[in-house]
Amino acid sequence: MEPVNSSCASCQRCPKDPLSKIRAQTRLMERQARDLSNSYVIHQGLHRNHINTLCHEVVPGFPKGTIVTQPEMDMLQQLYRTMVYMNQSFQVIREHQQDLNEPDAVLLQELRHAHLAVRGLLSNIVCAFCVQGASPSPVTIPERPTVTKAFQQKIEGCKVLWNYARFMERLTKSLRENRKQVRRTKMGRRQGKKKKASPGC
Amino acid sequence: MMNHFELQTLLLCVTTCFCIYHTKESHVFPVTFLNVSKNSTLQRLLVEWDVSDSAHESEQEMVFEIQVSQTEEKNVVWTEYYNTTLSKLNKPLFWSWDSELPLECASHSVRIRSKVAEVWSPWSSWKTVLGLDTSDDNEPLIFPEDKVVQEGSNFTFCCIGGKNQKVKTIIIDTSYPVSTPKRTIVRTINKVTLGAAGGQAIACTFAGPGYKNHIGTLLHVGRLPDEPKNIFCETRDMKTAKCTWKSGNNIYISGRYFAQYKLFDWFSQKTLCFEIQASRSKEWCVCSWVIHQQMTYNFTLTAENKLGKKSVNFSFDVAHRVYPFQPSDLWEEYVSASEVKLYWTMEPREKAIDLICQIENNRPDEKVEWYNSSVVHSNTYANIMISGLQPYTIHKFRIRCGAAKHFWKWSEWSKNLTITTKEAAPSGKLDLWRDITPVVGGRNVTLFWKQLPGFQANGRNISYEITWENLEEVTEPEHISISAPHNSTRICIGYHSYRISITAKNHVNSSSPSEIIISGATDNDAEEKISATDKEERVEGTDHGIWIHWQPKDTFDGYIVDWCNFPNSQPCDLQWKRSGFNTSRVLIKAVAFVPGVRYHFRVFGSVANKASLLEKKIGYSKELPPSDPDVKIIGLIPYSVSLAWDSYRTDETQPGFIKGYNIYVKSLQGCNFKGSTKYMAPDGLVWCKYTIKNPEEKRFTVEHLVPNTAYQLAVKAFTGGGETPITQTMNTHALDDRNMRYLPLVLGIIPFVLITAICFWKQKWLKDYCSQIPSPDTKVLSFDGFKVASETELKVSDCIPDAVTLESKSEAKKLNLWSQRTTQEERKTAVTDSSWLSLVPNEDRDFTCSSSDSEAGFWHLKNPVYLSSAAHDCLPYQNLHMLHTSEPQPLPLLYQPQHDIEIMNKDTVVPQREAMSGDTSLIYISQMEVPCSGTRLNDLYCSTEPGECLGYNRNSDLVTSVSDGDLEQYSPISTGTTGTLLLD
């Protein structure tokens, strides 16, 4: 796959605090990803045993471990990379599903909404870089085998969406914990300052 | 050792057998060539074989037996006989076989033998198509892939592991572990059902080496497509045509396996449309194409999916199916107030299609008119003249067109064109009516008008021009102008005849006038009356209205009935209705009519616009039950009760014409009153009912009551609308008739007392004239007023009357006249009724009565003579035998003599009563003059014959006063029935 370039032409359209936006967005996307994964399974005629056996398989597009503990820019870069991967994955899944479903099928709409959300998050990640005067590094998407058989297409989509839901779950959980940690640290600092300001007390 | 005969036989057999074998071999055509291939998608084995050329040349009729076996073990799974007649052309021979098991799942082998003239050739060798179950590939496989099967059929699939892999589980709707792991597993699902969109997933997992340990496929279950329905084809511009049909429920397989449609034309041998996909969201399928020069088509429309196809044939003539475009650019040209010319354009412009157009005119009154145009060409500006329009009216026009020849359907309506026609003079006439009220020096005429049917204002700012002129004197006509929407005005005219006319006027002109003529009148007859009585006849309302009838006369050319919608209001909303000369009745139906309201109708006859009052009517649209009368009991005697409701009004304040009254009586003893009828009220109670049919008869006596019985009474007025339910009643109690038993007794006492008095007077007279009895003081006898010792004048009202007391306990009990149930008022009435209680006519004024002394409770005998000459030496009172005792009997002294001063003192009476309270006998107490000679009354036997009386004081009088309270105070202490008259 060719590396994806992104440039920060202008930050004018970016929100003031893109990181907050990203956090809020990921919270929404976490739920959306979970629902989509379940809905996908139901619409594909896949049984629970299919999922356990065939879908629950790690695909290479998602980072291993948590990305939140990394420095902010690294974290954003990792997130950016994942979302670029998901952007392309959604493109493929939607194409496959258009062959299998009616044009106005609910699943196609859900896929479209999730795809738009990924694009929105990508945009905000670029903004997060942009407000810091940087831009995300070009990423190389791991190549996936071209699948022509419908069953395998379904399974591939299932795998990606399951991994995506897991990733978003881990991400939001880490962000939440990280936020709590930051708050505790800030509170500790304030109390320390107070103690220093009034040693007699 | 074999003998010669046996050897010969053996040789013969061998020869025969050889001959037979040789003959046979010459007619057998074994398979010379056999090739087997497969179509994996169709799961079809393709078999190709041949026999020798000689068989083809001899055009042998042959039978081939074909056997199909699966697996390496050559298990025969199919045997078929293939009959054919060989020819030079049909070589080689072909046959195919559809396998339920995907051909990749196992090796399939075929062998064939032939038969000619019942002789079979030897079998060919097996030709095998290898399955993939024996391949050395490491990748696992599943067959079939993405299979479409019909609902209800069986589906067989197999999973083949890679080299050294074995099937571990099969996942369909759940996970099925394989008990004996093999490299290849075959499974069949029976009677498959419609499943998920995009196919039901089936998968196998494998154990063993290999980079892939699972494989899956999709099972699409569907049905054959339905036949296309609701097919129609048409053109709008004669350049392109389109056919439309309904896909209906043709959606049995989703996604890429949707049914597809193909439209094939047999004339041009072209498929006009193909691969038109149906879908759940697209109910209608459309195929369109360019017509060019071909005007007729013979179509086959085919619906096809993976499971099969269905077709429909139909023909299409373009010229018969023209659906024109929507007309546009509609505009107008005004010609006159009632005419307008409409223009519009049509499509196509570059090709002339003959069209007829329909113009719709939506009028403000919601009526719709249609006009049809002549044949117009689509490439020209069409127009139509619309006449007969209503002036100054908003019209909405719109147009649609259809093919003039072979009409198929109308185009869509064009957009609305809203126009307002020009103004014109008001058309039609007004209906004018009047109400005349006499005033000093003339008449007030209130004019009313309304628009007759067909009247049209035809413009803005309508005013009503009213002119009236004196027909008897040459004067300038007077005129007023009233602007709409007023519809009445009042003018004042004199006693002469007047002509009043009215016209409606707008900016353009006036309507033709309407006239009425008011006849002349004098000061006295200015008010419109029928006759001196001016009687109003009653009419009855119906569900449909009120019919007004009149006596028609030949002299009139029409009739007018007028009435007020709100007779109790001012203005009363006068209405009128005209009818022709040959009518004698009219139905008045007014929405404003309210049940229970009395309406007054006047019927006028009209000739040459001059109206004369003929009749007056009153009536209700519906009569309602009237209010209840305020009933009073005016008389109550043991056997009857009299009721009165004199103040009850029977006029128009009532919600109906009062037709009479129903008197309801009820007691516990049921309804057995003479002259009454039994009436069961809605609440189930039974009443006796009397009916009075004269509304002015407002008194009624209920007779034949049972004494000492409680009764409920109710009086209801009734109208044509009935009467109100009995909710309020009066309770009364019929008197006990024991009181009445005393009437003869009392009437018997009166003559007795009179006779006694006469006797007494006679005795006195004898004394005066025969025995030199000193005469009383003349001063006392002169009745200038009572003088007591102090010489003050004694007024009549101050007299304490004498009393007569009935001493009989049993009789007192019976005397219900004084019963506690009798009201105080009734008692007073009874006591003060002179016709009842004055036992002696009071012709002389010497004796007067203190009737107000009701508390005395006695029969008073007041004698001024006695009062003035209260002799202390008078003898005590003596008993006077009355009633039952014909013989004079001595009675014990019961009463002490009273002096006149004491008697007049009210307080002094009480001890007197107290003194008697211990007596049980009924006592009649009377205060009369006691003879000064001291003669005992009981010594004077008085016969009932007046002539035998010994003495009589003509100045005596007997006045009675009765009180039940007194009777109770004087409770009888004696059971004796002896009556005692005590004289003071």
Side-chain angles (χ1 to χ4, degrees):
Chain A
M1 280 247 174
E2 288 183 10
V4 176
N5 286 310
S6 63
S7 61
C8 182
S10 171
C11 299
Q12 283 178 354
R13 290 186 177 181
C14 290
K16 285 181 181 175
D17 185 6
L19 279 173
S20 297
K21 276 273 178 192
I22 289 167
R23 270 194 292 272
Q25 229 172 342
T26 50
R27 278 199 297 275
L28 292 172
M29 288 168 70
E30 185 255 333
R31 186 187 179 88
Q32 190 183 42
R34 193 173 63 239
D35 292 346
L36 178 63
S37 180
N38 293 334
S39 178
Y40 182 89
V41 168
I42 293 164
H43 281 91
Q44 300 308 303
L46 294 171
H47 190 261
R48 182 169 48 82
N49 292 294
H50 292 121
I51 307 159
N52 295 336
T53 313
L54 310 177
C55 294
H56 295 178
E57 188 179 294
V58 175
V59 291
F62 298 93
K64 290 172 186 173
T66 179
I67 60 170
V68 178
T69 51
Q70 296 175 8
E72 191 173 280
M73 296 305 283
D74 291 350
M75 182 204 73
L76 284 172
Q77 182 61 39
Q78 286 279 6
L79 188 58
Y80 177 74
R81 182 181 171 281
T82 311
M83 288 301 122
V84 168
Y85 171 75
M86 276 312 299
N87 185 29
Q88 291 202 350
S89 295
F90 270 123
Q91 192 71 41
V92 174
I93 294 168
R94 287 176 69 188
E95 280 173 15
H96 290 164
Q97 289 300 318
Q98 273 166 1
D99 275 352
L100 296 171
N101 289 277
E102 296 162 52
D104 53 355
V106 176
L107 180 65
L108 295 182
Q109 291 177 29
E110 289 176 348
L111 284 167
R112 190 171 70 87
H113 292 150
H115 194 182
L116 286 171
V118 167
R119 287 180 181 177
L121 186 60
L122 270 174
S123 171
N124 282 330
I125 294 166
V126 172
C127 278
F129 279 102
C130 191
V131 293
Q132 295 190 24
S135 61
S137 306
V139 295
T140 306
I141 305 298
E143 204 159 330
R144 297 284 297 161
T146 308
V147 182
T148 53
K149 292 175 182 173
F151 175 80
Q152 213 52 42
Q153 286 172 350
K154 285 187 173 185
I155 296 298
E156 284 302 311
C158 184
K159 282 179 186 174
V160 171
L161 293 176
W162 180 73
N163 277 273
Y164 173 56
R166 276 187 66 196
F167 168 75
M168 293 306 297
E169 188 184 353
R170 282 202 312 269
L171 178 68
T172 48
K173 190 178 176 185
S174 303
L175 283 171
R176 212 178 299 128
E177 285 172 356
N178 191 39
R179 197 176 173 80
K180 284 179 185 172
Q181 186 66 36
V182 169
R183 279 182 185 168
R184 277 199 292 269
T185 311
K186 282 183 180 175
M187 287 283 285
R189 280 179 191 165
R190 279 179 197 164
Q191 284 173 356
K193 281 180 183 176
K194 281 182 182 176
K195 281 178 183 176
K196 281 179 184 177
S198 57
C201 296
Chain B
M1 287 297 286
M2 206 181 294
N3 59 24
H4 180 71
F5 178 74
E6 287 174 334
L7 183 67
Q8 276 186 334
T9 307
L10 180 65
L11 284 172
L12 184 63
C13 289
V14 169
T15 308
T16 309
C17 288
F18 177 78
C19 290
I20 291 167
Y21 175 76
H22 185 76
T23 309
K24 275 187 181 174
E25 192 177 32
S26 62
H27 289 89
V28 169
F29 301 99
V31 173
T32 56
F33 163 76
L34 175 61
N35 184 34
V36 181
S37 60
K38 66 181 177 185
N39 180 335
S40 293
T41 312
L42 298 175
Q43 293 184 193
R44 185 171 291 168
L45 270 183
L46 304 170
V47 181
E48 186 182 13
W49 75 98
D50 208 349
V51 290
S52 64
D53 290 344
S54 60
H56 285 284
E57 284 170 4
S58 62
E59 295 184 339
Q60 285 288 336
E61 194 176 321
M62 297 185 73
V63 178
F64 296 95
E65 184 181 0
I66 305 165
Q67 284 188 337
V68 180
S69 68
Q70 280 175 344
T71 72
E72 279 71 36
E73 287 77 33
K74 302 290 188 296
N75 299 326
V76 175
V77 293
W78 191 261
T79 299
E80 187 170 319
Y81 294 94
Y82 178 78
N83 297 319
T84 185
T85 303
L86 298 178
S87 71
K88 290 173 185 173
L89 299 174
N90 65 344
K91 55 187 293 193
L93 297 161
F94 291 98
W95 178 79
S96 64
W97 178 69
D98 291 340
S99 171
E100 277 192 17
L101 180 71
L103 299 175
E104 293 82 358
C105 296
S107 295
H108 286 76
S109 302
V110 177
R111 69 175 182 177
I112 303 173
R113 65 174 180 170
S114 65
K115 186 175 82 172
V116 178
E118 302 300 322
V119 180
W120 285 102
S121 74
W123 284 104
S124 68
S125 59
W126 289 100
K127 285 289 178 181
T128 303
V129 178
L130 289 175
L132 295 176
D133 55 335
T134 56
S135 75
D136 291 336
D137 200 341
N138 288 323
E139 190 176 346
L141 299 165
I142 187 167
F143 295 100
E145 290 177 337
D146 289 2
K147 180 75 174 175
V148 179
V149 296
Q150 195 158 349
E151 181 188 20
S153 62
N154 298 336
F155 172 66
T156 304
F157 67 98
C158 69
C159 293
I160 304 168
K163 197 176 180 182
N164 301 321
Q165 279 185 328
K166 289 185 177 175
V167 179
K168 193 169 71 179
T169 56
I170 300 168
I171 307 169
I172 306 171
D173 52 347
T174 184
S175 185
Y176 299 98
V178 176
S179 54
T180 310
K182 292 178 188 172
R183 187 182 178 192
T184 302
I185 290 289
V186 176
R187 285 285 183 275
T188 298
I189 305 170
N190 294 321
K191 292 183 180 177
V192 291
T193 54
L194 294 173
Q200 173 69 43
I202 295 169
C204 292
T205 60
F206 300 90
Y211 75 92
K212 199 173 179 184
N213 63 356
H214 73 267
I215 190 75
T217 189
L218 296 177
L219 170 63
H220 303 270
V221 182
R223 293 175 189 165
L224 274 170
D226 288 338
E227 220 171 61
K229 289 172 186 164
N230 303 88
I231 307 162
F232 69 91
C233 303
E234 64 192 15
T235 179
R236 304 207 72 166
D237 55 4
M238 300 292 279
K239 288 189 293 184
T240 58
K242 72 171 182 181
C243 288
T244 310
W245 62 92
K246 212 172 182 178
S247 59
N249 294 324
N250 216 355
I251 321 298
Y252 300 122
I253 315 169
S254 296
R256 69 184 80 170
Y257 301 115
F258 272 145
Q260 290 189 337
Y261 295 94
K262 191 170 72 176
L263 186 64
F264 179 76
D265 173 41
W266 291 94
F267 289 149
S268 62
Q269 288 291 312
K270 284 180 183 171
T271 301
L272 298 178
C273 298
F274 50 88
E275 291 184 355
I276 296 171
Q277 270 201 345
S279 76
R280 284 190 177 89
S281 58
K282 198 172 74 176
E283 191 185 8
W284 289 92
C285 298
V286 179
C287 170
S288 59
W289 69 97
V290 178
I291 294 170
H292 298 303
Q293 298 301 317
Q294 188 181 350
M295 297 298 284
T296 54
Y297 297 85
N298 195 7
F299 284 130
T300 295
L301 177 63
T302 307
E304 184 173 6
N305 66 12
K306 285 279 182 183
L307 297 173
K309 59 184 176 184
K310 284 187 180 170
S311 301
V312 179
N313 298 317
F314 61 96
S315 58
F316 170 46
D317 188 334
V318 176
H320 290 206
R321 294 287 183 269
V322 178
Y323 174 37
F325 284 114
Q326 178 186 29
S328 57
D329 303 330
L330 187 61
W331 79 97
E332 82 286 357
E333 182 188 328
Y334 292 102
V335 178
S336 69
S338 60
E339 285 181 315
V340 68
K341 200 171 188 178
L342 297 178
Y343 295 86
W344 67 96
T345 58
M346 296 164 292
E347 295 279 344
R349 305 294 295 170
E350 64 274 12
K351 200 166 187 176
I353 303 175
D354 288 348
L355 301 171
I356 52 163
C357 296
Q358 190 178 58
I359 296 93
E360 185 186 84
N361 176 13
N362 281 284
R363 294 179 4 184
D365 57 4
E366 297 184 348
K367 286 184 179 172
V368 181
E369 290 174 340
W370 285 279
Y371 314 91
N372 288 328
S373 74
S374 55
V375 176
V376 292
H377 302 300
S378 64
N379 57 352
T380 59
Y381 285 105
N383 64 75
I384 187 171
M385 178 77 85
I386 309 288
S387 303
L389 299 177
Q390 185 63 47
Y392 194 63
T393 309
I394 297 169
H395 296 268
K396 276 185 187 173
F397 291 103
R398 59 180 187 168
I399 294 180
R400 61 182 179 179
C401 298
K405 291 177 185 173
H406 312 297
F407 180 85
W408 162 235
K409 62 164 83 166
W410 290 110
S411 69
E412 299 95 340
W413 285 105
S414 68
K415 288 180 183 172
N416 278 323
L417 170 70
T418 304
I419 62 164
T420 304
T421 47
K422 294 183 179 302
E423 288 187 59
S427 57
K429 290 180 80 172
L430 296 169
D431 185 2
L432 182 63
W433 185 236
R434 85 295 183 280
D435 184 37
I436 301 168
T437 312
V439 291
V440 177
R443 291 170 290 175
N444 271 344
V445 179
T446 309
L447 296 168
F448 302 89
W449 59 90
K450 58 188 175 187
Q451 295 172 354
L452 281 170
F455 178 87
Q456 295 294 337
N458 293 341
R460 291 165 291 177
N461 300 329
I462 288 287
S463 64
Y464 299 104
E465 307 298 319
I466 297 159
T467 307
W468 63 100
E469 61 177 317
N470 190 330
L471 297 177
E472 296 174 26
E473 283 184 358
V474 180
T475 54
E476 195 68 26
E478 293 183 77
H479 170 263
I480 55 167
S481 180
I482 309 289
S483 61
H486 295 290
N487 61 357
S488 70
T489 189
R490 180 183 288 174
I491 60 171
C492 186
I493 60 172
Y495 294 119
H496 291 140
S497 297
Y498 281 83
R499 176 190 289 119
I500 304 171
S501 69
I502 185 168
T503 61
K505 187 180 175 186
N506 64 10
H507 284 307
V508 179
N509 211 334
S510 297
S511 67
S512 50
S514 300
E515 289 181 352
I516 55 169
I517 291 170
I518 309 289
S519 304
T522 61
D523 195 1
N524 297 329
D525 67 347
E527 189 177 348
E528 289 182 296
K529 284 184 179 176
I530 309 163
S531 61
T533 57
D534 204 28
K535 193 182 173 185
E536 290 179 309
E537 189 186 333
R538 288 182 180 182
V539 289
E540 283 188 10
T542 66
D543 291 340
H544 308 292
I546 300 173
W547 280 104
I548 304 296
H549 295 258
W550 61 85
Q551 197 66 41
K553 292 179 181 172
D554 294 339
T555 50
F556 296 117
D557 57 16
Y559 298 92
I560 302 116
V561 177
D562 75 359
W563 71 94
C564 281
N565 266 347
F566 305 103
N568 301 322
S569 305
Q570 270 306 329
C572 69
D573 188 20
L574 185 80
Q575 303 288 315
W576 71 98
K577 189 168 184 177
R578 292 180 185 273
S579 59
F581 68 94
N582 53 354
T583 54
S584 61
R585 65 172 192 167
V586 68
L587 180 65
I588 308 294
K589 319 185 256 191
V591 180
F593 280 167
V594 176
V597 173
R598 185 180 288 187
Y599 296 96
H600 299 257
F601 300 91
R602 297 188 297 179
V603 181
F604 293 85
S606 168
V607 58
N609 296 327
K610 191 187 288 184
S612 320
L613 182 62
L614 296 179
E615 295 175 25
K616 284 187 175 179
K617 315 276 182 183
I618 50 172
Y620 297 83
S621 64
K622 186 183 178 186
E623 291 186 64
L624 298 178
S627 59
D628 289 341
D630 182 16
V631 183
K632 287 178 182 171
I633 296 174
I634 56 168
L636 179 66
I637 55 174
Y639 296 101
S640 67
V641 59
S642 297
L643 308 170
W645 53 95
D646 299 333
S647 61
Y648 189 67
R649 294 178 69 173
T650 57
D651 57 9
E652 64 186 48
T653 57
Q654 296 292 356
F657 297 116
I658 301 292
K659 290 187 172 175
Y661 308 94
N662 286 323
I663 296 96
Y664 296 93
V665 186
K666 184 161 73 73
S667 73
L668 291 173
Q669 288 149 354
C671 175
N672 49 9
F673 293 105
K674 191 179 174 184
S676 70
T677 56
K678 207 174 260 184
Y679 168 74
M680 182 175 280
D683 56 7
L685 295 175
V686 177
W687 295 78
C688 291
K689 181 172 141 184
Y690 298 93
T691 299
I692 301 173
K693 291 189 177 173
N694 179 5
E696 299 309 322
E697 191 180 325
K698 298 175 184 176
R699 288 187 176 215
F700 186 78
T701 300
V702 183
E703 294 176 327
H704 311 294
L705 299 182
V706 178
N708 198 18
T709 305
Y711 288 93
Q712 276 188 306
L713 300 164
V715 177
K716 294 276 170 190
F718 61 90
T719 65
E723 62 184 30
T724 55
I726 304 168
T727 51
Q728 289 187 337
T729 58
M730 292 182 298
N731 295 325
T732 189
H733 205 100
L735 294 179
D736 196 332
D737 64 346
R738 282 178 297 184
N739 293 333
M740 298 304 292
R741 290 177 202 163
Y742 284 99
L743 186 61
L745 179 71
V746 173
L747 290 173
I749 291 168
I750 294 165
F752 183 79
V753 170
L754 285 173
I755 292 163
T756 308
I758 291 165
C759 292
F760 183 75
W761 174 77
K762 195 173 180 179
Q763 185 190 29
K764 198 171 185 295
W765 182 82
L766 286 172
K767 278 181 184 175
D768 290 345
Y769 293 96
C770 305
S771 311
Q772 295 296 321
I773 297 168
S775 63
D777 187 357
T778 53
K779 215 173 183 181
V780 174
L781 288 172
S782 66
F783 192 68
D784 293 327
F786 299 107
K787 301 286 184 180
V788 289
S790 59
E791 289 295 309
T792 54
E793 190 177 51
L794 181 65
K795 292 187 174 147
V796 174
S797 60
D798 294 330
C799 292
I800 292 177
D802 295 342
V804 176
T805 304
L806 280 171
E807 282 190 323
S808 170
K809 187 178 180 181
S810 58
E811 288 300 319
K813 278 183 180 175
K814 291 176 186 174
L815 206 60
N816 276 350
L817 263 177
W818 299 293
S819 75
Q820 286 180 330
R821 287 189 291 270
T822 311
T823 62
Q824 189 70 20
E825 190 178 358
E826 287 166 342
R827 279 178 245 140
K828 283 183 178 176
T829 308
V831 167
T832 54
D833 190 347
S834 60
S835 66
W836 167 247
L837 292 169
S838 294
L839 303 180
V840 179
N842 190 12
E843 290 172 3
D844 295 315
R845 304 310 301 169
D846 296 337
F847 289 86
T848 58
C849 169
S850 174
S851 61
S852 63
D853 194 9
S854 59
E855 79 276 9
F858 301 128
W859 293 28
H860 300 285
L861 294 169
K862 197 188 281 182
N863 189 344
V865 174
Y866 161 77
L867 291 171
S868 62
S869 60
H872 293 274
D873 57 345
C874 286
L875 289 169
Y877 298 100
Q878 298 298 317
N879 291 333
L880 178 65
H881 294 277
M882 302 168 64
L883 302 173
H884 307 291
T885 311
S886 56
E887 294 293 326
Q889 288 179 3
L891 281 173
L893 184 63
L894 294 173
Y895 193 74
Q896 294 301 318
Q898 299 282 327
H899 298 290
D900 54 349
I901 297 301
E902 288 175 320
I903 290 168
M904 289 173 67
N905 187 346
K906 188 179 174 184
D907 297 334
T908 59
V909 178
V910 177
Q912 174 188 340
R913 289 170 183 169
E914 286 169 354
M916 295 184 66
S917 62
D919 199 339
T920 56
S921 60
L922 185 63
I923 301 167
Y924 290 83
I925 300 168
S926 178
Q927 286 181 290
M928 296 183 71
E929 184 184 14
V930 179
C932 291
S933 62
T935 308
R936 290 175 174 269
L937 274 174
N938 57 348
D939 293 337
L940 296 171
Y941 174 71
C942 294
S943 74
T944 53
E945 294 298 321
E948 292 177 20
C949 289
L950 297 173
Y952 175 66
N953 186 349
R954 61 186 299 268
N955 291 328
S956 67
D957 195 0
L958 182 62
V959 182
T960 60
S961 176
V962 180
S963 167
D964 58 337
D966 294 325
L967 262 182
E968 282 187 345
Q969 262 188 315
Y970 294 93
S971 54
I973 53 172
S974 169
T975 55
T977 56
T978 306
T980 306
L981 179 63
L982 299 175
L983 299 177
D984 191 9

